[in-house]
Amino acid sequence: MHHSEDISSLALNRLSTYLRCLRLLQESNVKRISSQELARRFHLSAAQIRKDLAYFGEFGIRGVGYDVASLCRRLEALLGLEREHPVVVVGAGNIGRALARFPGFNSGSFRIHGIVDNDPQKVGQRINDLEVRPSSELPQLVQQSQAEIGILAVPAEAAPENYRCLVAAGIRSILNFAPVPLDPIPDIRVKTVDLLIFLEELAYFLR
Amino acid sequence: MHHSEDISSLALNRLSTYLRCLRLLQESNVKRISSQELARRFHLSAAQIRKDLAYFGEFGIRGVGYDVASLCRRLEALLGLEREHPVVVVGAGNIGRALARFPGFNSGSFRIHGIVDNDPQKVGQRINDLEVRPSSELPQLVQQSQAEIGILAVPAEAAPENYRCLVAAGIRSILNFAPVPLDPIPDIRVKTVDLLIFLEELAYFLR
DNA sequence: GATTGTGAATAGATTCACAGCT
DNA sequence: AGCTGTGAATCTATTCACAATC
């Protein structure tokens, strides 16, 4: 099998997409599918599906296709989705609260174990079964929950500081929704998602 | 100048990033900057900055660098951010409500003019200065607001139908937060943002 | 002297096309 | 007969390196 680090973010995201598609097929009781049929149904590329999968091993049966259930399981294993990953959220504004309540972030492989905010007005607010805690309690929260992933959902100007706090608290994987490029830190993986950029991408084609 | 269509999404998103960085510089009263310095400060690539910009024209002064204010204006023009783009949101769940309140989507070049939901329980709720309207009113809303962009923030199973409604209402650019690949429709631009994929990308490196 | 703009070189990602299995 | 897995070919993106310019 291959090394962990040498796969592109593009290919990795496609594996997630394949998993989504396969789960949809499973719900419709499809047991087996060929790369061609998978591509046709979900507007993907058959050659790319095969190449992406083959990169991690031989998952299919020549002449037949892929077994939907077993491919699902193997993709989950590949993506590290077999166990639950505890998550903490920093920032209880619009985005932070929405993500804390978002079912996708609270089922399957992820569970939000806590949410903190600097603003005393926000501390104590309830979000589903969580209570917003002060940012000063982040280190304990991370330790108690064994959180592996931090979601940074604070305004741009507060992002660098809260980023450092997350790292100091022991978080090594961060999903950043603040529209600022954070300074890289060795061994810390940051994925920045700037929602405005998506709108701007659409705006470009409206001129 | 160049054609509209032949730029990659990657390059386009970088232009948005450059604009963010330049606005930060403007706030710190930096008047001029070289590609090298811009790259150094924000962890970008100097050669790539020059190539991206040069693709659209000659924006810099050799031996000197780029004028921050004028480059900002030119990037805004390039990206179609000079005028306000009316936006409608379909789905008043966690994500829809958060985006409707999100300052980034309600300032500068974008303004959310309305939000609709199928659920009678949600209709009538107030979100900032908007009231959630029933989905049946989407066509009027789009017409009245002259909305150009639709944000699809409904559960996966409801996405295909609401996608068709947006298109039928006259929307041609759609930002889709539902984790399903939508069928392509000619002349309709869809950008799907699957938030869970970002978490899964981080999870991959946690095994 | 410094920095842009750009062709050439390199690296990376996708598609093709077919040998190898079932 | 049909489909996977894969090397080769193509396409796309990034980086290099330097001539052109201020």
Side-chain angles (χ1 to χ4, degrees), chain A residues 181 197 200, chain B residues 10-25 38-39 42 44-53 68 71-72 75 79:
Chain A
I197 282 187
E200 290 180 354
Chain B
L10 244 39
L12 204 45
N13 292 352
R14 284 196 301 269
L15 294 183
S16 287
T17 302
Y18 303 156
L19 182 55
R20 296 273 181 294
C21 298
L22 289 163
R23 282 174 177 161
L24 287 174
L25 290 173
L38 189 60
F42 299 101
L44 305 168
S45 143
Q48 190 156 61
I49 291 169
R50 293 202 300 279
K51 198 148 222 150
D52 285 339
L53 296 177
V68 176
L71 186 52
C72 269
L75 283 176
L79 292 168

Side-chain angles (χ1 to χ4, degrees), chain A residues 90-112:
Chain A
V90 177
N94 296 316
I95 301 291
R97 286 198 306 269
L99 295 176
R101 279 195 279 253
F102 186 45
F105 281 24
N106 278 295
S107 64
S109 311
F110 304 96
R111 168 148 281 108
I112 294 181

Side-chain angles (χ1 to χ4, degrees), chain B residues 53-93:
Chain B
L53 296 177
Y55 178 82
F56 288 99
E58 308 215 345
F59 292 6
I61 303 162
R62 290 172 194 223
V64 176
Y66 299 89
D67 180 83
V68 176
S70 96
L71 186 52
C72 269
R73 280 196 305 276
R74 300 197 62 178
L75 283 176
E76 284 163 7
L78 265 175
L79 292 168
L81 304 178
E82 279 175 320
R83 62 185 178 83
E84 195 173 85
H85 300 284
V87 178
V88 293
V89 177
V90 177

